[in-house]
Amino acid sequence: VEPALDELKRRLGEIADLERIQSLLHWDLEVLMPPSGQDARAEQLSTLESILHDRRTHDRIGELVEQLEPYAKSLPHDSDDACLIRVTRRDWERERRVPTELASELEGAAAASYRTWVRAREESDFGAFRPSLERMLELRLRWVECFAPYDDPYDVLLDEHERGMRADRVREIFGTLVPELLALVNEHASDEEDDVPAGPFPIAAQEALSRELVERFGGTWDAFRLDPTVHPFMEELGLRDIRLTSHYRESDLTALFTAMHECGHGLVEFGVNPALDRTPLCEGASSALHESQSRLWENVVGRSLPFWRWFYPRVQQAFPDVLGSAPLDRFHRSVNRVRRSFIRADADEVTYGLHIVLRFELEQELVAGRLAVEDLPEAWNSRFAELLGLEVPDDRLGVLQDVHWASGLFGYFPTYQLGNVLSVQIAEKARESIPDLDARFERGEFSELHDWLRENLYSLGRKFTPAETIERVAGGPIDAQPYLAYLRGKLDTLAEA
Amino acid sequence: VEPALDELKRRLGEIADLERIQSLLHWDLEVLMPPSGQDARAEQLSTLESILHDRRTHDRIGELVEQLEPYAKSLPHDSDDACLIRVTRRDWERERRVPTELASELEGAAAASYRTWVRAREESDFGAFRPSLERMLELRLRWVECFAPYDDPYDVLLDEHERGMRADRVREIFGTLVPELLALVNEHASDEEDDVPAGPFPIAAQEALSRELVERFGGTWDAFRLDPTVHPFMEELGLRDIRLTSHYRESDLTALFTAMHECGHGLVEFGVNPALDRTPLCEGASSALHESQSRLWENVVGRSLPFWRWFYPRVQQAFPDVLGSAPLDRFHRSVNRVRRSFIRADADEVTYGLHIVLRFELEQELVAGRLAVEDLPEAWNSRFAELLGLEVPDDRLGVLQDVHWASGLFGYFPTYQLGNVLSVQIAEKARESIPDLDARFERGEFSELHDWLRENLYSLGRKFTPAETIERVAGGPIDAQPYLAYLRGKLDTLAEA
């Protein structure tokens, strides 16, 4: 057993190193790289990806997990080694389904398609993007075929990001959400001008406030960075090398929420038990669980009144001319305002779910072959009008707004909304253990919450399936009701005030 | 021929990609990485190095160059393919000499030794560093043995950085230099206080001036970056992704010379013929040739009077309080002042060579086993006193100052001084083609010089041996006389003024 386990860990360690290197290549590309470096970087990414794919699908890994199976069975279900062998077998079997040529074709086409999308979006020209999208969809469907037989092709897509999740389960959860969200929007959406001034908020001060938030939430600068970029994201380059990014605009304070959001993602990675380092278990358990944490810190904490009781005076101090005379309640209302709008990434907590539902529906139609790519803008605009009550004026504000499809990512969007739902379930569980959470937020104390989340969620990494992990941390399966109650409670309180 | 050449180029392209990835890992480590990321980065570097070593020494490369030999012989000596096959064969044969275990042992020991050195230097404690240095020397000597038989073990070391250079040739060149440099130091060295004020020079303004220099010399920001670090260096991450670094101090303007120096290194890489991209020919031909260009831009251009006639008014404008009343000739004298000092990296053009000679002599003694590591500080201090006339007060200012030996780099130092010598030979050749070079410098025009260097040197990359390349660009072999004449001329003019 020992030599086989050592060899497996050595091989997995090298794969983990190469994945972190890949993350650095992406991070640098988005944050710093001089623009003309693009071609060389594409070559580097493609070379690295082919090495990674060869290693991940190497025969030897299959032999080793086979050989280690009896050992794994002899261990408790939650032992690190048992989990490692279980997850490795599953990853390996999945990766092996996809021929190397298809994997590298997808990678190459995604890079080209991304560039086409950037230009098409700028010019709001869906026609220019259409051939790329058709190509990505075709490649992704060939990829789905590698996993035949399946009940629903969409299950295959979901499984990539949310192991074990199924389309019918998502439909069920979203089926509960949609009428309630529509009712909340009808009741609370407002088209009023915001009554908090639109800046200017000098960027240096926004950056300082963002850094203060990361520190307070538990990030330490010996292990974290926070850098500006165009489309914010987080990359883990090592258990103690967490790269957060944000985007600053002088006209609003969105960057503060971005910092909290990316910090949440970072804390998930930072909190993995170091014993799992350099293994496939050393990351968040799924996309939805990751997103649950970015949203927990951004929304459940970062849009709450107790949080702003602590933080608003600091923000006022940073921008005395702009906010000096705007009272706390007005500010707090403005960061929770429900408003019908076009861009998902800027949407409030209530309309956000409707943006996701739209994408989920359209993706299913595309994947099932019931909707042609050329008819996508019309389908988008018509369903958008039904869900959000707005006429989409151009494709930049519509079907071209997100990068996901351009990169061949189908089946990812639902995990955002599942993450929102989970964020409330998990926060409530934490609140059971730490009843004075709000009082602590009012004092700017977040370490008890962070400790609880690390112990009950982050430390587990990817040891268990998403469903098992959710069961452990939230005490039950995904459930839309606590999320809806949270939204209703918040909006009613705001309406009464 | 075609399929073999294609396969060779594909393999070499992947190696080139991985080398650039390695450069990014190093660049990020030195420039940005949060300090606690160190352990993860060390793992990544070690994994990548072992993949690189496997690929560089792969049997298949040997088979392919063997197969392509008749084709290469059928081509003109200077054809890209002939050069590629020639250089690849030579690199492969060299790399194959070293067993993978030794290569990775050297890599691992160097990383550990570097960390020990950093602490030992801080505390000026040679004893703490001695075991590491003994280990690095022992490993390097085992590495040298892989290349037996040889005339002189030092030749093996030199050959790694300066293909074909031999210790006896370096001794000859340095033998010409030393008495002349000593005479120049005796005649011109001054211990006077500098008569240009010691700042403060705000760092933002130094950075803006540095960027102006990079632009003027031919760097473009779509392909270059300039970032602060502790020990400046340049990394090429792609033909159009050149990373310069610099180090700023409020008390002096050294950073301007650092920017010119690193820009010179960057222009060498930036100027390689794009047809050579992703091959082992896509870099400078040797360490000395690389250094000749950093020194040409830093010293031959950047410490000349015509250059400062153009640039000094801009520097005065940036620091009016400090330099407003300091005349040009006083400033120009101060940046060319000959002064006995302890630190090589801060030395002037004349004493610099003596710092190198010291290291070259000691390295030969260490490698030949005539000097034990434990006796090194004493040997350093005593020879330092002879060459530079100063008593070394502590090892931080003495034997512990440079990183090279800590990293296992022996036989590298001479290339710095060979670069200085070459910088003048090459600049004189350029001057033959562009007689009004000084007049152009006075107008801030450097593009003719850059164009000449790119055409006659940079574009060649590593197609030819260093000696062939030097012959092509300088019209003859390395020769100390033009360099000595240049120093004498400059110092005499300064003395007369």
Side-chain angles (χ1 to χ4, degrees):
Chain A
V1 164
E2 200 120 325
L5 193 61
D6 285 352
E7 185 186 342
L8 183 67
K9 286 184 177 171
R10 184 180 58 69
R11 286 180 177 271
L12 296 175
E14 288 172 1
I15 291 170
D17 291 335
L18 294 173
E19 285 170 344
R20 285 167 168 175
I21 291 173
Q22 197 174 43
S23 298
L24 173 61
L25 291 172
H26 280 293
W27 178 86
D28 180 81
L29 173 73
E30 299 283 336
V31 175
L32 295 165
M33 196 185 75
S36 296
Q38 191 173 277
D39 293 343
R41 184 56 52 86
E43 300 276 13
Q44 293 154 21
L45 282 165
S46 149
T47 291
L48 189 61
E49 177 61 28
S50 87
I51 293 173
L52 256 170
H53 191 265
D54 285 351
R55 298 202 162 217
R56 285 186 185 129
T57 58
H58 199 285
D59 292 342
R60 190 70 190 133
I61 290 184
E63 289 163 22
L64 290 165
V65 291
E66 194 60 43
Q67 201 177 322
L68 288 164
E69 197 65 26
Y71 167 66
K73 291 229 163 85
S74 77
L75 297 170
H77 179 76
D78 65 351
S79 93
D80 288 352
D81 281 352
C83 294
L84 181 67
I85 293 162
R86 205 161 57 226
V87 170
T88 300
R89 171 190 281 275
R90 202 255 177 192
D91 289 352
W92 182 81
E93 283 170 355
R94 250 187 99 79
E95 291 270 355
R96 294 269 288 194
R97 296 277 198 128
V98 182
T100 308
E101 305 74 49
L102 178 56
S104 94
E105 219 178 328
L106 257 167
E107 186 82 3
S113 161
Y114 172 80
R115 287 197 284 272
T116 311
W117 167 75
V118 169
R119 274 193 306 275
R121 187 179 67 155
E122 265 167 26
E123 289 157 25
S124 196
D125 180 359
F126 183 79
F129 177 52
R130 205 186 93 189
S132 293
L133 183 53
E134 283 168 346
R135 172 107 178 100
M136 291 318 299
L137 181 61
E138 180 221 319
L139 285 170
R140 186 52 78 192
L141 290 176
R142 275 171 55 200
W143 178 92
V144 167
E145 282 319 301
C146 302
F147 298 92
Y150 44 75
D151 293 336
D152 182 332
Y154 201 88
D155 288 348
V156 179
L157 295 167
L158 268 174
D159 198 62
E160 181 77 357
H161 313 294
E162 200 65 25
R163 175 178 170 187
M165 180 52 70
R166 298 171 58 98
D168 54 10
R169 180 83 185 98
V170 177
R171 281 192 288 268
E172 192 183 324
I173 297 165
F174 286 8
T176 308
L177 283 174
V178 171
E180 300 280 344
L181 292 178
L182 286 171
L184 284 171
V185 174
N186 277 334
E187 188 177 344
H188 294 282
S190 135
D191 295 327
E192 279 170 49
E193 277 297 291
D194 215 335
D195 45 8
V196 166
F201 303 104
I203 283 170
Q206 291 195 51
E207 206 164 340
L209 290 167
S210 299
R211 296 176 73 84
E212 187 178 354
L213 289 172
V214 172
E215 286 167 31
R216 281 289 175 141
F217 285 1
T220 58
W221 299 116
D222 69 312
F224 279 67
R225 282 189 63 91
L226 173 63
D227 296 276
T229 188
V230 179
H231 302 289
F233 61 96
M234 181 281 302
E235 290 281 8
E236 183 257 5
L237 310 186
L239 256 184
R240 296 294 168 265
D241 187 354
I242 308 287
R243 309 282 172 105
L244 313 180
T245 63
S246 191
H247 182 73
Y248 303 92
R249 281 191 301 240
E250 283 231 321
S251 56
D252 62 56
L253 293 173
T254 306
L256 299 182
F257 297 93
T258 305
M260 294 190 272
H261 182 102
E262 302 305 338
C263 181
H265 282 305
L267 293 175
V268 172
E269 303 285 323
F270 188 56
V272 176
N273 181 351
L276 306 178
D277 194 15
R278 297 182 75 236
T279 76
L281 310 184
C282 190
E283 55 178 316
S286 73
S287 299
L289 276 159
H290 235 297
E291 194 71 7
S292 79
Q293 296 312 295
S294 54
R295 295 302 234 171
L296 185 150
W297 289 101
E298 175 195 0
N299 289 337
V300 185
V301 176
R303 292 185 202 268
S304 73
L305 189 56
F307 169 84
W308 284 107
R309 286 214 176 98
W310 163 66
F311 200 56
Y312 189 57
R314 310 173 107 76
V315 176
Q316 282 184 304
Q317 214 170 9
F319 311 109
D321 299 344
V322 188
L323 296 178
S325 60
L328 169 64
D329 63 338
R330 204 191 297 164
F331 183 86
H332 178 244
R333 184 187 316 274
S334 84
V335 302
N336 283 288
R337 193 178 295 279
V338 180
R339 181 177 277 146
R340 297 179 181 92
S341 67
F342 294 108
I343 300 294
R344 171 190 59 85
D346 297 338
D348 58 84
E349 286 183 88
V350 182
T351 58
Y352 191 94
L354 299 173
H355 288 271
I356 295 299
V357 166
L358 167 72
R359 287 155 178 79
F360 174 58
E361 291 177 0
L362 294 174
E363 281 184 337
Q364 291 177 85
E365 299 291 301
L366 285 169
V367 165
R370 289 189 299 264
L371 174 64
V373 167
E374 65 173 320
D375 300 326
L376 183 60
E378 205 189 305
W380 176 291
N381 295 349
S382 113
R383 187 67 177 133
F384 193 87
E386 288 167 20
L387 286 167
L388 281 137
L390 293 175
E391 295 297 322
V392 177
D394 60 39
D395 292 336
R396 198 177 52 84
L397 291 173
V399 70
L400 286 175
Q401 70 183 268
D402 291 309
V403 66
H404 304 63
W405 295 340
S407 307
L409 269 184
F410 298 87
Y412 191 91
F413 283 118
T415 68
Y416 286 134
Q417 186 61 10
L418 298 176
N420 284 331
V421 167
L422 278 168
S423 71
V424 172
Q425 286 181 265
I426 295 169
E428 295 202 342
K429 208 69 190 168
R431 208 176 281 277
E432 286 174 18
S433 299
I434 319 164
D436 62 340
L437 216 45
D438 283 342
R440 290 176 183 274
F441 292 173
E442 288 190 24
R443 296 194 299 268
E445 293 172 15
F446 306 97
S447 60
E448 295 74 15
L449 176 60
H450 181 206
D451 290 348
W452 188 93
L453 290 166
R454 194 172 45 212
E455 190 183 327
N456 292 280
L457 179 60
Y458 306 163
S459 64
L460 307 179
R462 204 160 74 95
K463 282 179 70 169
F464 305 104
T465 64
E468 283 178 284
T469 311
I470 291 166
E471 183 72 39
R472 277 174 183 261
V473 64
I478 300 188
D479 176 5
Q481 292 306 336
Y483 180 66
L484 288 168
Y486 154 87
L487 288 180
R488 261 185 242 114
K490 184 191 263 192
L491 294 175
D492 287 349
T493 311
L494 282 167
E496 280 159 22
Chain B
V1 163
E2 199 119 325
L5 193 60
D6 285 353
E7 186 186 340
L8 183 67
K9 285 183 178 172
R10 184 182 57 70
R11 286 179 176 272
L12 296 174
E14 288 172 2
I15 292 170
D17 291 334
L18 294 173
E19 285 171 343
R20 285 168 168 175
I21 291 173
Q22 197 174 43
S23 297
L24 174 61
L25 291 172
H26 280 292
W27 177 85
D28 180 80
L29 174 73
E30 301 282 336
V31 174
L32 294 166
M33 196 185 75
S36 296
Q38 192 173 276
D39 293 343
R41 185 56 51 87
E43 301 276 12
Q44 292 154 21
L45 283 166
S46 147
T47 291
L48 189 61
E49 177 59 31
S50 88
I51 293 173
L52 256 170
H53 191 264
D54 285 351
R55 298 203 161 216
R56 285 186 185 127
T57 58
H58 199 286
D59 291 343
R60 190 70 190 132
I61 291 184
E63 290 163 22
L64 289 166
V65 291
E66 194 61 43
Q67 201 178 323
L68 288 164
E69 196 66 27
Y71 167 66
K73 291 231 163 80
S74 76
L75 297 170
H77 179 76
D78 64 352
S79 94
D80 287 352
D81 282 352
C83 293
L84 180 67
I85 293 162
R86 207 161 57 224
V87 170
T88 300
R89 170 189 282 279
R90 202 256 176 190
D91 288 351
W92 182 82
E93 283 170 354
R94 251 187 98 78
E95 291 270 356
R96 294 269 287 195
R97 296 277 199 127
V98 182
T100 307
E101 306 73 50
L102 178 57
S104 95
E105 219 179 329
L106 256 166
E107 187 82 4
S113 162
Y114 172 81
R115 288 197 284 272
T116 312
W117 167 76
V118 168
R119 277 193 306 273
R121 186 178 66 154
E122 264 167 27
E123 288 157 26
S124 197
D125 180 359
F126 183 80
F129 176 53
R130 204 186 93 189
S132 293
L133 183 54
E134 283 169 345
R135 172 105 179 102
M136 291 317 300
L137 181 61
E138 180 220 321
L139 284 171
R140 187 51 79 190
L141 290 175
R142 274 171 55 200
W143 179 91
V144 166
E145 282 318 303
C146 302
F147 298 92
Y150 45 75
D151 293 337
D152 182 332
Y154 201 88
D155 289 347
V156 179
L157 295 167
L158 267 175
D159 198 63
E160 182 76 357
H161 313 294
E162 200 65 25
R163 175 177 171 188
M165 180 53 69
R166 298 171 59 98
D168 53 11
R169 180 80 186 99
V170 176
R171 281 192 287 270
E172 191 183 326
I173 297 165
F174 286 7
T176 307
L177 283 173
V178 171
E180 299 280 343
L181 293 178
L182 287 171
L184 284 171
V185 173
N186 278 336
E187 188 177 347
H188 294 282
S190 136
D191 295 327
E192 280 170 49
E193 278 296 292
D194 215 336
D195 43 8
V196 166
F201 302 105
I203 283 170
Q206 292 195 50
E207 206 164 340
L209 290 167
S210 299
R211 296 177 73 85
E212 187 179 354
L213 289 171
V214 172
E215 285 166 34
R216 282 291 176 140
F217 286 1
T220 58
W221 299 115
D222 68 313
F224 279 67
R225 281 190 65 91
L226 173 64
D227 295 276
T229 188
V230 179
H231 302 289
F233 61 95
M234 181 281 303
E235 290 280 7
E236 184 257 5
L237 309 186
L239 257 184
R240 295 293 168 265
D241 187 354
I242 308 287
R243 308 282 172 106
L244 313 180
T245 63
S246 190
H247 183 73
Y248 303 92
R249 281 191 300 241
E250 282 231 322
S251 56
D252 62 55
L253 292 174
T254 306
L256 300 182
F257 297 94
T258 304
M260 293 191 273
H261 182 101
E262 301 305 337
C263 182
H265 282 305
L267 293 176
V268 171
E269 303 285 324
F270 187 56
V272 176
N273 181 351
L276 307 178
D277 194 14
R278 298 183 75 237
T279 76
L281 310 185
C282 190
E283 56 177 317
S286 75
S287 299
L289 276 160
H290 235 297
E291 195 71 8
S292 78
Q293 295 313 295
S294 54
R295 295 305 233 171
L296 185 151
W297 290 100
E298 175 195 0
N299 289 338
V300 185
V301 175
R303 292 186 203 268
S304 73
L305 190 55
F307 169 84
W308 284 106
R309 287 214 175 98
W310 164 67
F311 201 56
Y312 188 57
R314 309 173 108 75
V315 176
Q316 281 185 304
Q317 214 170 9
F319 311 110
D321 299 344
V322 187
L323 295 179
S325 60
L328 169 65
D329 63 338
R330 206 192 293 163
F331 183 85
H332 178 244
R333 184 187 316 276
S334 85
V335 302
N336 282 288
R337 194 178 294 281
V338 180
R339 181 178 276 147
R340 296 178 181 90
S341 66
F342 295 108
I343 300 292
R344 171 190 61 83
D346 297 338
D348 59 83
E349 285 182 89
V350 181
T351 59
Y352 191 93
L354 299 172
H355 287 272
I356 295 300
V357 166
L358 168 72
R359 286 154 178 79
F360 174 58
E361 290 177 1
L362 295 174
E363 282 184 337
Q364 291 176 86
E365 298 291 301
L366 286 169
V367 165
R370 289 189 299 263
L371 174 64
V373 167
E374 66 173 319
D375 300 326
L376 183 60
E378 205 190 306
W380 176 292
N381 295 349
S382 112
R383 187 66 178 132
F384 193 88
E386 288 167 19
L387 286 167
L388 281 137
L390 294 175
E391 295 298 322
V392 177
D394 61 39
D395 291 335
R396 199 176 52 85
L397 292 173
V399 69
L400 285 176
Q401 70 183 269
D402 291 309
V403 66
H404 303 64
W405 294 340
S407 308
L409 269 184
F410 299 88
Y412 191 91
F413 282 118
T415 68
Y416 286 134
Q417 186 60 11
L418 297 177
N420 284 331
V421 167
L422 277 169
S423 70
V424 172
Q425 286 181 265
I426 294 169
E428 294 202 342
K429 207 70 189 167
R431 209 176 280 278
E432 285 174 19
S433 299
I434 320 164
D436 61 341
L437 215 45
D438 283 343
R440 290 176 184 276
F441 292 172
E442 288 191 23
R443 295 194 299 269
E445 293 173 14
F446 305 97
S447 59
E448 294 75 15
L449 176 60
H450 181 207
D451 289 347
W452 188 93
L453 290 166
R454 194 172 46 210
E455 189 183 326
N456 292 280
L457 178 60
Y458 306 163
S459 63
L460 306 179
R462 204 161 74 95
K463 282 179 70 169
F464 305 105
T465 65
E468 282 177 283
T469 312
I470 291 165
E471 183 73 39
R472 277 174 184 261
V473 63
I478 300 188
D479 177 5
Q481 291 308 334
Y483 181 66
L484 288 168
Y486 154 86
L487 288 180
R488 260 187 243 114
K490 182 190 264 193
L491 294 175
D492 288 348
T493 310
L494 282 167
E496 280 160 21

